Amino acid sequence: MSDIEIAQRTQSQHIREIAEKIGIAEELLEYYGPKKAKLPLSLIDEQKVQEGKLILVTAITPTPPGEGKTTVSIGLADGLNLIGKKAITVLREPSLGPVFGIKGGAAGGGRSQVIPMEDINLHFTGDFNAIEKANNLLAALIDNNIQSKTNNLDIDPRTVLWKRVMDMNDRSLRNIISGLGGKTGGIPRETGFNITAASEVMAILCMSSSMENLLKRLGNIYIGDTFEGKAVFARDLNAEGAMAVLLKDAIKPNLVQTLEGNPAILHGGPFANIAQGTNSILATKTGLSLGDYVVTEAGFGADLGAEKFLNIKCREAGISPKAVVIVATIRALKYHGGQNLSELTSEDLDALEKGIPNLEKHIESIQSFGLPMVVAVNAFTTDTKAETDFLINYCDRKGVAVSFSDGWSKGGKGCTELAEKVVIAAENCSQQFKPTYDLDDDILSKMHKVATTIYGAEGVSLTPKAKNQLKRFNDLGFNNLPICMAKTQKSLSDNEKLTGRPTGFTIDVREFEIAAGAGFIVPIAGNILRMPGLPENPSSTKIKMDASGNVSGLF
Amino acid sequence: MSDIEIAQRTQSQHIREIAEKIGIAEELLEYYGPKKAKLPLSLIDEQKVQEGKLILVTAITPTPPGEGKTTVSIGLADGLNLIGKKAITVLREPSLGPVFGIKGGAAGGGRSQVIPMEDINLHFTGDFNAIEKANNLLAALIDNNIQSKTNNLDIDPRTVLWKRVMDMNDRSLRNIISGLGGKTGGIPRETGFNITAASEVMAILCMSSSMENLLKRLGNIYIGDTFEGKAVFARDLNAEGAMAVLLKDAIKPNLVQTLEGNPAILHGGPFANIAQGTNSILATKTGLSLGDYVVTEAGFGADLGAEKFLNIKCREAGISPKAVVIVATIRALKYHGGQNLSELTSEDLDALEKGIPNLEKHIESIQSFGLPMVVAVNAFTTDTKAETDFLINYCDRKGVAVSFSDGWSKGGKGCTELAEKVVIAAENCSQQFKPTYDLDDDILSKMHKVATTIYGAEGVSLTPKAKNQLKRFNDLGFNNLPICMAKTQKSLSDNEKLTGRPTGFTIDVREFEIAAGAGFIVPIAGNILRMPGLPENPSSTKIKMDASGNVSGLF
């Protein structure tokens, strides 16, 4: 059965009943149909936030289809509930663009899914749309100001880096010239669109601690410079009020359920290769206020999602996970050991052994944060006993807890062993995580520390352009912001072809972006696309609806 | 008090209670918070649709701020309820773009509003977003196909007229070059964005009779031609399934309430100068199935909204109004008589007399449809007794029913006289409306009949480009479609400077667009913008949110 068939055949509960399980009074729910609800920010209880046990699910360097972090997260939360813990999974919302491209849905898989998966994979409760509109209102205000006679802030159009966004895989919008058509069409300039998940407004929504904080961050967005070189911010255009109003519902976390009827909170969706790659601070805190355990994931490998989750999000929010789960798959490890993507279903112990250093590096990275961990071996039907024995022996020798995770075919039942090991790790964890860098470090040192400690690089090199930008950030007083590296997810290095555990490389930072509202500096290593394209055969062509409105072809 | 203050101070009812008043069982409601709900299409009862009394609210040629059709519609529905009729107002949803531009909100005004006005004026239930995404998915699929190696349909990019849309006043997107940035960025070509209300997908949603019909119409969208001149449709790209899935919730009408707690259905929002300018067929039918009276409006003056409402929508849906209300204001009539916009608050009987022929023409147009009518004098505090007496005497002499309408300051109580007169007209109406043209007429004749009968023109002239297009439509078999004129709303003619009742003019059709999915040919007369811009001082800069999320500055 396909994911959507499993999801559609599952008897789901009214979201009122799910809310009741975690003590939310019905009058606090804002329903979006019978299976989705928005939660008020008033549910956050800062004392419970500190008491709750936060579990971070991360992964080894993934192959293109991903290694199943979302599936493991959902399975683990269901497993924790099965062994008697009040657990909530708190995840990102999927982006619509990839649903129509290659990836399909992003709401888990098999017996470990969140539902209603059709809605979650489509417009859901409208959060992405609200973010898109807030982003694009600012863009329209900027261009309107540039061509205005009476309110002109003297913005130099060549310095404007704020792009429009659309939640669609649409490569044709990546680079455009806008403002054509003569005098009534504005001022022609080079610009482009990013996918909505890449918007700084998405990052801001996920970093905000309250409505008031949202408003302040929106006002702090750095737009570009005047012809005289003065920095211009969104607040200079009085943009933040209307932007915040557009986000007044989007800022509230969304409650749904797993296939097993356990609560799941989905909120925000920044990508991990270009942004912080994790759900909102408000959603994580809501989960911690309502459950004893919160299982959350951060995108791609531990070099991207986990690093940013800890150094950016947890530091800002004043929270710390009690344990980290590293998802590993036999197939991805063999891929890192040199086996071809098309042959990963065949046994190859030699490739597995050669690929294991990738896992080793991610284990060391989590150790650098001082956090306990469990390696979750996400089961595939093609894994052989010899292969899984090899991997488990490796972890045993290393002294790292390890467990099978079979949420995909068995749901929570396939994850109870993992759940038990996670509970042992979390209950014995008394320390806070140790950040990779201090906020007082200069930006170059921050990058150097992340590159060497987390990626295993020898250092960082900067283009002349990047060096000039660093100087500018210093002048603007942005030096004490954390960094949010934009780097390929396909390698520990910035070269996507270097699989396994590469050594002897440096990270080449081409340029920087400044997300002054979200509160971080974005060093860009290599060519990172912020607007994907559709493949030769888009998934969208397989999506069908019958006369009664039933959906098929989403997976 | 501002509109938003009145709205926020009104004690609203839970939408469950509103639904109960018109016999909708709670389990049929799909809540979007406590004040909005989507209604299932199963509520439509074709027999009741024929029995229900449909009242169309139209207007004289409006001044830029509008003459209050929405306010009159809401006031009239509240008035009908006060005199014991079960009445529902069925309206369009506002577009977000103008909210941030000049116009502000579009949910009525004063004591005649639909609430929650903040939500209705912002994202509401996400319908516009869904339409935008469906439109833009097709655009992405077209550009992806043009640059594709294996699925190439050989589409000539120069023939592609399908534009992307965004619900934002953003003139810089009107004309763009997309696909820049080299080989990975697609194929460079000239294109642009329209505002979402101008999307053919919006028109399709509002013309669809069912999910199945929606799917068929989406497949019928005409995209452009191959290099060999063969027509290409959305179905050739297998686009309609995913587009319909994106619209699976948007196709359902939305239930809200008036300030007086009466049911209001809002659904769809095509503009009347460039599209059919009225709410969806499904919403109108839902209203007729649930109430004895349905009050609906069609955009701008009777030359645009009412003509299209009758010749396009009612003909397609097999329905006919029982009475038409023509909204007239003293101020607009004086404007048509030559008074300056800034002086409309001063008494000027001479200008009023000179402006009345505009009303006369719209009365004659409604008479041409064979429908009974009531002129509603929408009251403004600056109207003088001498002026209103003059207007009422004029209608009396003409033998046309006339009534004050003061929903703005008094709500339903200000509209009971109007309600009584509408009931008399509707109860005495036994005939169906008489269309302006037959579907069998050729396209040129259709345009000629609308131009002469409705606009008072002497005829229609076509550019050579338009003539060539007509031939092409003939070859494609589109001759029996109705026409949907794109024309300025500021004049009965196609020249916005000709106020009053112009004579001796022709309608110059520059070119055509074909909306093969929506099912009409769009003759474009003059320069009609489909993507507005922001003004020098955008309304958005006045919109504020406080720390608790309360909104102000929407009006």
Side-chain angles (χ1 to χ4, degrees):
Chain A
M1 278 203 287
S2 69
D3 288 351
I4 191 170
E5 284 166 336
I6 295 173
Q8 287 174 344
R9 286 173 198 195
T10 300
Q11 182 70 39
S12 64
Q13 297 171 47
H14 196 285
I15 198 66
R16 182 198 315 121
E17 295 168 48
I18 304 298
E20 211 181 297
K21 290 183 189 179
I22 45 176
I24 308 174
E26 186 179 359
E27 61 267 26
L28 293 178
L29 296 176
E30 198 175 316
Y31 291 124
Y32 280 66
K35 296 182 188 172
K36 299 166 280 179
K38 281 209 165 269
L39 302 176
L41 303 186
S42 59
L43 288 171
I44 295 173
D45 174 335
E46 290 291 346
Q47 193 183 329
K48 285 194 182 155
V49 167
Q50 295 305 322
E51 293 164 5
K53 292 189 171 66
L54 180 61
I55 310 300
L56 170 65
V57 176
T58 181
I60 61 171
T61 303
T63 59
E67 303 318 312
K69 266 194 316 294
T70 307
T71 306
V72 170
S73 299
I74 297 166
L76 172 57
D78 282 340
L80 284 164
N81 276 293
L82 279 180
I83 65 167
K85 303 294 176 189
K86 194 159 86 174
I88 303 172
T89 180
V90 181
L91 304 170
R92 285 175 292 170
E93 306 174 43
S95 166
L96 191 59
V99 169
F100 297 130
I102 294 177
K103 200 181 176 188
R111 303 275 164 199
S112 290
Q113 296 186 55
V114 282
I115 50 175
M117 78 88 92
E118 302 94 311
D119 293 6
I120 293 169
N121 279 314
L122 295 171
H123 311 296
F124 199 28
T125 56
D127 296 345
F128 273 57
N129 171 48
I131 288 163
E132 193 169 308
K133 288 294 180 295
N135 181 102
N136 293 346
L137 173 62
L138 180 56
L141 289 168
I142 294 169
D143 271 312
N144 190 56
N145 189 275
I146 290 173
Q147 62 99 53
S148 163
K149 280 172 219 136
T150 56
N151 291 310
N152 202 302
L153 293 176
D154 206 31
I155 299 168
D156 181 347
R158 300 164 305 179
T159 67
V160 174
L161 297 171
W162 190 256
K163 290 190 171 182
R164 289 169 179 82
V165 297
M166 189 187 287
D167 194 11
M168 191 64 67
N169 282 17
D170 192 349
R171 71 171 68 71
S172 289
L173 292 179
R174 224 176 262 156
N175 297 289
I176 69 169
I177 295 173
S178 65
L180 298 173
K183 206 171 169 182
T184 59
I187 305 285
R189 66 182 185 89
E190 286 179 72
T191 181
F193 280 70
N194 291 333
I195 193 163
T196 305
S199 167
E200 188 184 344
V201 178
M202 173 66 85
I204 287 173
L205 186 96
C206 290
M207 292 299 287
S208 293
S209 55
S210 65
M211 290 269 190
E212 208 170 356
N213 185 250
L214 172 75
L215 202 57
K216 191 177 151 204
R217 287 176 184 270
L218 291 169
N220 285 344
I221 292 171
Y222 172 53
I223 289 167
D225 302 324
T226 65
F227 280 103
E228 285 190 342
K230 203 174 143 259
V232 181
F233 298 89
R235 58 179 177 264
D236 298 322
L237 287 165
N238 292 316
E240 72 273 28
M243 290 173 77
V245 167
L246 283 167
L247 296 168
K248 75 183 176 60
D249 296 314
I251 199 176
K252 299 174 195 161
N254 306 291
L255 181 67
V256 291
Q257 63 192 292
T258 69
L259 288 177
E260 301 185 5
N262 291 311
I265 295 174
L266 271 55
H267 197 222
F271 291 163
N273 48 355
I274 50 178
Q276 77 268 42
T278 171
N279 68 83
S280 74
I281 286 177
L282 290 166
T284 303
K285 285 189 169 182
T286 302
L288 289 165
S289 302
L290 299 167
D292 298 328
Y293 275 80
V294 162
V295 181
T296 190
E297 50 98 45
F300 298 122
D303 52 326
L304 289 168
E307 184 271 309
K308 295 169 182 179
F309 180 85
L310 294 162
N311 286 315
I312 300 176
K313 174 181 174 173
C314 288
R315 171 150 42 190
E316 176 73 14
I319 55 179
S320 185
K322 294 286 177 197
V324 176
V325 173
I326 302 180
V327 176
T329 62
I330 299 291
R331 54 192 296 290
L333 288 171
K334 288 191 293 189
Y335 175 74
H336 285 292
Q339 206 178 22
N340 287 329
L341 256 181
S342 56
E343 289 162 13
L344 295 179
T345 50
S346 316
E347 183 175 278
D348 188 340
L349 289 166
D350 186 45
L352 180 61
E353 182 169 7
K354 284 191 188 139
I356 275 196
N358 183 273
L359 171 61
E360 179 186 49
K361 178 70 199 81
H362 290 295
I363 290 173
E364 289 171 23
S365 295
I366 300 305
Q367 284 168 339
S368 79
F369 291 107
L371 291 172
M373 77 193 86
V374 182
V375 171
V377 183
N378 188 21
F380 278 71
T381 48
T382 51
D383 300 344
T384 69
K385 182 162 188 313
E387 287 174 331
T388 50
D389 282 352
F390 186 93
L391 176 55
I392 286 175
N393 285 337
Y394 167 81
C395 293
D396 286 346
R397 281 201 316 277
K398 239 357 228 184
V400 175
V402 61
S403 167
F404 277 107
S405 178
D406 200 359
W408 185 82
S409 70
K410 296 184 188 142
K413 268 186 224 164
C415 298
T416 49
E417 184 200 337
L418 175 62
E420 303 275 9
K421 293 196 175 172
V422 164
V423 167
I424 292 168
E427 287 186 348
N428 291 318
C429 173
S430 55
Q431 72 274 35
Q432 301 279 310
F433 80 96
K434 186 179 149 293
T436 311
Y437 54 84
D438 290 330
L439 293 180
D440 291 341
D441 292 342
D442 61 40
I443 294 170
L444 196 60
S445 306
K446 287 171 187 163
M447 292 192 291
H448 187 85
K449 287 180 182 178
V450 169
T452 53
T453 316
I454 307 293
Y455 306 160
E458 306 214 324
V460 176
S461 77
L462 271 66
T463 60
K465 179 179 180 183
K467 281 182 193 161
N468 279 332
Q469 287 180 297
L470 265 196
K471 240 185 282 177
R472 173 94 177 129
F473 296 152
N474 194 31
D475 296 346
L476 289 168
F478 291 147
N479 264 341
N480 63 343
L481 293 178
I483 55 162
C484 183
M485 294 289 290
K487 180 184 81 69
T488 180
Q489 69 272 22
K490 294 179 182 170
S491 170
L492 278 158
S493 76
D494 58 1
N495 174 354
E496 64 176 51
K497 295 197 177 114
L498 300 180
T499 53
R501 180 179 184 164
T503 51
F505 63 94
T506 57
I507 296 291
D508 298 327
V509 174
R510 184 162 47 92
E511 59 183 327
F512 290 94
E513 284 195 7
I514 166 76
F520 42 71
I521 303 276
V522 184
I524 300 175
N527 286 312
I528 287 290
L529 287 181
R530 281 141 199 264
M531 173 52 98
L534 289 170
E536 285 276 308
N537 293 295
S539 302
S540 70
T541 57
K542 294 174 206 94
I543 299 174
K544 306 284 173 209
M545 191 181 73
D546 68 17
S548 317
N550 295 315
V551 178
S552 60
L554 268 175
F555 56 99
Chain B
M1 278 201 287
S2 70
D3 288 351
I4 192 170
E5 285 166 337
I6 294 173
Q8 286 174 345
R9 285 171 200 199
T10 300
Q11 182 70 38
S12 62
Q13 296 170 46
H14 195 285
I15 198 66
R16 184 199 312 120
E17 296 168 47
I18 304 298
E20 213 181 295
K21 291 183 190 181
I22 44 175
I24 307 174
E26 186 178 359
E27 61 267 26
L28 293 178
L29 295 176
E30 200 174 314
Y31 292 124
Y32 280 66
K35 296 182 191 174
K36 297 165 283 176
K38 282 209 164 269
L39 301 176
L41 302 186
S42 59
L43 288 172
I44 294 173
D45 175 334
E46 290 293 344
Q47 193 183 327
K48 285 195 182 156
V49 166
Q50 294 307 322
E51 292 164 5
K53 293 190 172 60
L54 181 60
I55 311 299
L56 170 65
V57 177
T58 181
I60 60 171
T61 303
T63 58
E67 303 319 311
K69 266 192 320 294
T70 307
T71 306
V72 171
S73 300
I74 297 165
L76 172 57
D78 282 340
L80 284 164
N81 276 291
L82 280 181
I83 64 166
K85 304 293 176 189
K86 196 158 87 176
I88 303 173
T89 179
V90 181
L91 302 170
R92 285 176 293 170
E93 308 174 42
S95 166
L96 191 59
V99 169
F100 296 131
I102 294 177
K103 199 180 177 187
R111 302 275 165 201
S112 289
Q113 295 186 54
V114 281
I115 48 174
M117 79 88 93
E118 303 94 310
D119 292 6
I120 292 170
N121 279 314
L122 295 170
H123 311 296
F124 198 28
T125 56
D127 296 344
F128 273 56
N129 172 48
I131 288 162
E132 190 169 310
K133 288 294 180 296
N135 181 102
N136 293 345
L137 173 61
L138 179 56
L141 288 169
I142 294 169
D143 271 313
N144 190 55
N145 189 276
I146 290 173
Q147 63 99 54
S148 164
K149 281 176 218 133
T150 57
N151 291 309
N152 202 302
L153 294 176
D154 207 30
I155 299 169
D156 180 348
R158 299 164 305 177
T159 67
V160 175
L161 297 171
W162 191 257
K163 291 188 171 183
R164 289 168 180 83
V165 297
M166 189 188 287
D167 195 11
M168 191 63 67
N169 281 16
D170 192 348
R171 72 172 66 73
S172 289
L173 292 179
R174 225 177 260 157
N175 297 289
I176 69 169
I177 296 173
S178 65
L180 298 173
K183 204 170 168 181
T184 58
I187 308 284
R189 67 181 184 90
E190 286 178 71
T191 182
F193 280 70
N194 292 333
I195 192 163
T196 304
S199 168
E200 188 185 343
V201 178
M202 173 66 85
I204 287 173
L205 186 96
C206 290
M207 292 298 287
S208 293
S209 54
S210 66
M211 290 269 190
E212 210 169 355
N213 184 249
L214 172 76
L215 202 56
K216 194 178 149 203
R217 287 175 184 271
L218 291 170
N220 285 344
I221 293 170
Y222 172 54
I223 289 167
D225 303 321
T226 65
F227 280 102
E228 286 190 343
K230 203 173 143 263
V232 182
F233 298 89
R235 57 179 177 263
D236 298 323
L237 287 165
N238 292 317
E240 72 273 28
M243 290 172 78
V245 166
L246 284 166
L247 296 167
K248 76 182 175 63
D249 296 314
I251 199 176
K252 299 175 196 160
N254 306 291
L255 181 68
V256 292
Q257 64 192 290
T258 69
L259 289 177
E260 301 185 5
N262 291 312
I265 295 175
L266 271 54
H267 197 221
F271 290 163
N273 48 355
I274 50 176
Q276 76 268 43
T278 171
N279 68 84
S280 76
I281 287 178
L282 290 167
T284 303
K285 287 190 167 183
T286 302
L288 288 166
S289 303
L290 299 167
D292 298 328
Y293 276 80
V294 162
V295 180
T296 190
E297 52 97 47
F300 298 122
D303 53 324
L304 289 167
E307 184 271 310
K308 295 169 183 178
F309 180 83
L310 293 163
N311 286 315
I312 300 176
K313 175 182 173 172
C314 287
R315 170 151 43 192
E316 175 74 13
I319 55 178
S320 185
K322 294 287 177 197
V324 177
V325 173
I326 302 181
V327 177
T329 61
I330 299 291
R331 54 192 297 287
L333 288 171
K334 289 190 290 186
Y335 176 72
H336 284 294
Q339 206 179 24
N340 288 329
L341 257 182
S342 56
E343 290 162 12
L344 296 179
T345 49
S346 316
E347 183 176 274
D348 189 340
L349 288 167
D350 186 47
L352 180 60
E353 182 171 6
K354 285 194 189 135
I356 275 200
N358 184 269
L359 171 61
E360 178 186 51
K361 178 70 200 84
H362 291 295
I363 290 174
E364 289 170 15
S365 295
I366 300 305
Q367 283 168 339
S368 78
F369 291 108
L371 292 173
M373 76 192 85
V374 182
V375 171
V377 182
N378 189 22
F380 278 72
T381 49
T382 53
D383 301 343
T384 69
K385 184 164 185 315
E387 288 174 329
T388 50
D389 282 351
F390 187 93
L391 177 55
I392 286 176
N393 285 338
Y394 168 80
C395 292
D396 287 345
R397 281 202 314 276
K398 239 355 226 184
V400 174
V402 61
S403 166
F404 277 107
S405 177
D406 199 2
W408 186 81
S409 70
K410 296 184 188 141
K413 270 188 225 162
C415 299
T416 49
E417 184 200 338
L418 176 63
E420 303 276 9
K421 294 197 175 174
V422 163
V423 167
I424 292 168
E427 287 187 348
N428 291 316
C429 172
S430 54
Q431 73 274 35
Q432 301 279 309
F433 80 96
K434 186 177 149 297
T436 311
Y437 54 84
D438 290 330
L439 292 180
D440 290 342
D441 293 342
D442 63 39
I443 294 170
L444 196 59
S445 305
K446 287 172 188 162
M447 291 192 292
H448 187 83
K449 288 180 180 178
V450 169
T452 53
T453 316
I454 308 294
Y455 306 161
E458 307 214 324
V460 175
S461 75
L462 270 68
T463 61
K465 180 180 180 185
K467 282 182 193 164
N468 280 332
Q469 286 180 300
L470 265 196
K471 240 185 284 176
R472 173 93 178 131
F473 296 154
N474 195 31
D475 296 344
L476 289 169
F478 291 147
N479 264 342
N480 63 342
L481 293 178
I483 55 163
C484 184
M485 295 289 291
K487 182 185 80 68
T488 179
Q489 69 273 21
K490 294 180 183 169
S491 171
L492 277 158
S493 75
D494 59 358
N495 175 354
E496 65 177 48
K497 293 194 179 116
L498 300 180
T499 53
R501 180 180 183 164
T503 51
F505 63 93
T506 56
I507 296 291
D508 298 326
V509 173
R510 185 161 47 91
E511 59 183 325
F512 291 94
E513 284 195 6
I514 166 76
F520 41 72
I521 303 277
V522 184
I524 300 175
N527 287 311
I528 287 290
L529 286 180
R530 283 140 198 265
M531 173 51 99
L534 290 170
E536 285 277 308
N537 292 296
S539 303
S540 71
T541 56
K542 295 173 205 94
I543 299 174
K544 306 284 174 207
M545 192 181 74
D546 70 15
S548 317
N550 295 316
V551 179
S552 60
L554 266 176
F555 59 101

